[in-house]
Amino acid sequence: RNRWRLRRSSSTQGKSNELASCLGDDEDGGGRRGGLEGKDPETNDPVHLKRRVGLVSGVALIVGTMIGSGIFVSPTGLLIRTGSVGMSFLVWTACGVLSLCGALAYAELGTMNTSSGAEYAYFMDAFGAPPAFLFSWTSTLVLKPSQMAIICLSFAQYAVEAFAAECEPPEHLVKIVGLLAITVILLINCYSVNLATGVQNTFTAAKLIAILVVIAGGSWSLAKGNTQHLQGAFKMLDETDTLTIGRLATAFYTGLWAYDGWNNLNYVTEEIKDPSKNLPRSIMIGIPLVTVCYALINLSYLAVMSPMEMIESEAVAVTFGNRILGVVAWLMPFSVAVSTFGSANGTLFAAGRLCFAASRQGHLLDCLSYVHVRRFTPAPGLIFHSLVAAAMVLSGNINSLIDFFSFTAWIFYGGAMLALLVMRKTRPNHPRPYKCPLVIPIFVLGISMYLIVGPIIDKPQIEYLYAAGFIAAGMFFYLPFVKYGYVPKFMGIRGQRFSSDVIGGGTNSRLI
Ligand code: ARG
């Protein structure tokens, strides 16, 4: 009966005023709200997201999101940008180490503050509302949807290619399939958290099998003595080429895209069972696993293809499959499709929680903080993200977006390291179930500054300025709409104002 009723979630800080707003049918109308407001009608508990993510799902949410299209496609870009096989291998491994260090720092942050929303929650604690708002603004409008769009477009490319045989897949077909993927993933995530984590676990297992196939093929080829491409590894492929410090940073961007998703579990901390144990454990299992897989896959590619062939290939994994899988060569594009679908699922799962966490604090439209009353999924947040991602899929060429995505993302990853350092000073006695060595955040902060400045020095491009400008432009929205609580009528939320205690206090916005 109340299937589509959505309730404002209760805040984790327990200070929420659980005023309900309903969408859809409201048979018991306002009259019965008193008893049910913001409550699960069966248990009468406040409606919030349930703890359903255990260790296996936690590892799957990290591994399954990190392994998407990157490892099957990016080796080419990395080889071009580093200029030599040895250097590209070093950068692949360094990206893994950097991701692990970043994630260990996030483990400290995530066990200190177990609210969902990752950087958003940590910025709120360490720096207060304005930086947290700028993060949620950039992340909900650009970062998360662009991740989703890039991954769904890659999914579509490979799904279509699996059927299109030799010819280049038509662009509009790719876009339609990309949109379909977003829709299916959205439905899964709105329907149930268990279904979404089930899909994540299954697809993670499937992609790990695909990776094992590649590694087995590569090892077999190496065992037969095909080691010639690994010799003289540090010789530049093009002798006239030099690797500058700035160019190295862009090579890192390519590699780090393949590793992106290492912080994914921090977005859903409120749903992890026993987060102070399972968050650090999932990180310590998941990220080294991905790093080892990526290193071995790179060796496998080189056991089967020359570096020049890799550079010419559109998708190394597919070329690899064509070389050694014979009649089952279709397995490779199919595996990339499976891998990207799973990664997109994990991305949306996390993105919905970010939207939910930020809107709960009055930093985004209030209705985005609602949780479906029976399904316990943050449906409006998920729908909002999917719509923005769909618009990005329609509007175009996503490839160049990866660089600007990484540039913007690393500003915030660096910010989170700073947040950790600040809180070590301002909250020295706050319980820290997991405490990472101090050098880790300092190291990651240093690298993130290099990653932000390096590419600009290497090749100043106006897009970097746009990205920085977009973040700063958030202030124009923050001041009137959040700080001073003006809510324009066109937003359709009648009479709603954000009270000033929303800003730092962790309460929900109010309906007056
Ligand atoms: N690493 C993934 C890939 O190679 C992309 C992950 C996007 N990031 C995220 N947080 N979901 O395709």
Side-chain angles (χ1 to χ4, degrees):
R1 194 165 51 118
N2 292 326
R3 241 172 47 161
W4 295 109
R5 168 152 322 146
L6 299 149
R7 302 281 190 192
R8 182 201 303 280
S9 74
S10 79
S11 144
T12 39
Q13 283 86 346
K15 289 193 225 157
S16 72
N17 56 349
E18 288 160 7
L19 288 169
S21 287
C22 304
L23 294 180
D25 66 337
D26 184 16
E27 279 177 41
D28 47 14
R32 279 187 43 198
R33 277 188 186 172
L36 276 173
E37 263 171 13
K39 301 269 165 99
D40 178 343
E42 269 134 38
T43 61
N44 214 29
D45 289 336
V47 174
H48 50 64
L49 301 170
K50 303 254 174 200
R51 293 195 183 278
R52 285 179 172 157
V53 179
L55 182 64
V56 173
S57 302
V59 173
L61 263 172
I62 295 179
V63 174
T65 310
M66 287 174 78
I67 306 177
S69 59
I71 187 58
F72 301 107
V73 186
S74 307
T76 304
L78 209 73
L79 199 53
I80 295 174
R81 286 182 166 174
T82 51
S84 72
V85 170
M87 209 47 204
S88 103
F89 191 77
L90 276 188
V91 172
W92 271 109
T93 322
C95 288
V97 174
L98 181 62
S99 309
L100 181 61
C101 289
L104 289 177
Y106 270 60
E108 172 171 332
L109 292 163
T111 49
M112 253 183 102
N113 178 347
T114 54
S115 307
S116 289
E119 293 87 352
Y120 176 78
Y122 317 142
F123 288 2
M124 202 75 179
D125 282 351
F127 314 128
F133 172 80
L134 290 185
F135 170 75
S136 61
W137 150 265
T138 314
S139 213
T140 32
L141 288 176
V142 182
L143 286 180
K144 291 278 156 202
S146 67
Q147 284 170 348
M148 183 79 186
I150 296 169
I151 306 169
C152 285
L153 273 178
S154 315
F155 163 80
Q157 221 139 27
Y158 288 95
V160 173
E161 199 171 290
F163 298 99
E166 298 293 290
C167 51
E168 176 81 357
E171 206 187 312
H172 62 270
L173 186 61
V174 170
K175 290 195 169 170
I176 293 173
V177 175
L179 292 180
L180 268 177
I182 294 183
T183 316
V184 172
I185 293 168
L186 172 65
L187 290 176
I188 292 173
N189 276 272
C190 286
Y191 186 74
S192 114
V193 175
N194 283 345
L195 180 63
T197 51
V199 166
Q200 191 68 14
N201 296 355
T202 317
F203 278 70
T204 303
K207 69 179 87 175
L208 285 175
I209 292 173
I211 284 176
L212 280 182
V213 169
V214 176
I215 294 174
S219 313
W220 176 68
S221 181
L222 281 179
K224 281 200 327 199
N226 289 327
T227 52
Q228 65 278 22
H229 306 312
L230 302 175
Q231 281 145 20
F234 285 91
K235 226 171 75 216
M236 291 301 265
L237 296 171
D238 173 357
E239 313 248 303
T240 56
D241 214 7
T242 47
L243 179 60
T244 61
I245 278 280
R247 196 173 125 187
L248 188 63
T250 58
F252 266 97
Y253 277 1
T254 313
L256 285 168
W257 166 254
Y259 282 94
D260 202 71
W262 50 264
N263 60 347
N264 214 36
L265 201 53
N266 286 61
Y267 287 96
V268 304
T269 337
E270 274 164 44
E271 284 157 275
I272 306 178
K273 299 174 193 156
D274 198 357
S276 56
K277 290 215 177 79
N278 281 333
L279 178 66
R281 276 184 198 163
S282 306
I283 286 171
M284 284 175 211
I285 297 173
I287 298 168
L289 181 70
V290 174
T291 311
V292 170
C293 284
Y294 282 9
L296 294 178
I297 289 192
N298 272 295
L299 287 180
S300 302
Y301 288 150
L302 284 167
V304 172
M305 283 175 260
S306 74
M308 278 311 171
E309 284 168 320
M310 267 175 87
I311 287 179
E312 271 152 32
S313 162
E314 284 264 325
V316 261
V318 177
T319 314
F320 178 94
N322 291 340
R323 286 282 159 80
I324 74 167
L325 292 182
V327 281
V328 287
W330 55 267
L331 207 62
M332 252 20 265
F334 177 75
S335 305
V336 182
V338 166
S339 173
T340 41
F341 187 87
S343 180
N345 181 61
T347 301
L348 186 68
F349 191 89
R353 274 64 186 173
L354 167 66
C355 214
F356 160 79
S359 49
R360 183 172 62 184
Q361 304 275 16
H363 280 185
L364 293 173
L365 282 185
D366 189 52
C367 58
L368 297 180
S369 74
Y370 292 171
V371 173
H372 192 287
V373 78
R374 286 190 191 283
R375 308 226 155 268
F376 301 102
T377 55
L382 294 166
I383 295 171
F384 176 78
H385 266 293
S386 304
L387 287 176
V388 185
M392 287 187 173
V393 162
L394 285 178
S395 68
N397 172 13
I398 296 294
N399 260 352
S400 65
L401 268 182
I402 291 186
D403 283 355
F404 303 107
F405 161 80
S406 298
F407 171 78
T408 320
W410 277 90
I411 294 179
F412 292 115
Y413 296 155
M417 299 303 126
L418 201 61
L420 188 153
L421 296 173
V422 166
M423 283 193 283
R424 285 272 179 106
K425 274 254 158 296
T426 55
R427 303 180 184 200
N429 301 323
H430 194 288
R432 288 175 170 79
Y434 170 80
K435 197 167 176 179
C436 76
L438 192 65
V439 298
I440 287 186
I442 296 176
F443 166 70
V444 181
L445 179 62
I447 298 283
S448 61
M449 286 183 343
Y450 160 65
L451 288 176
I452 296 163
V453 177
I456 301 182
I457 296 177
D458 181 52
K459 205 155 101 201
Q461 289 183 70
I462 190 80
E463 283 87 346
Y464 293 125
L465 202 64
Y466 290 157
F470 184 87
I471 300 178
M475 275 327 266
F476 291 112
F477 285 81
Y478 175 75
L479 290 174
F481 298 122
V482 181
K483 184 144 181 70
Y484 297 109
Y486 169 71
V487 179
K489 285 216 177 65
F490 70 83
M491 286 187 179
I493 307 170
R494 230 177 328 126
Q496 184 178 317
R497 300 204 142 259
F498 297 120
S499 64
S500 56
D501 62 345
V502 170
I503 305 305
T507 52
N508 277 335
S509 51
R510 294 178 201 293
L511 285 169
I512 295 175

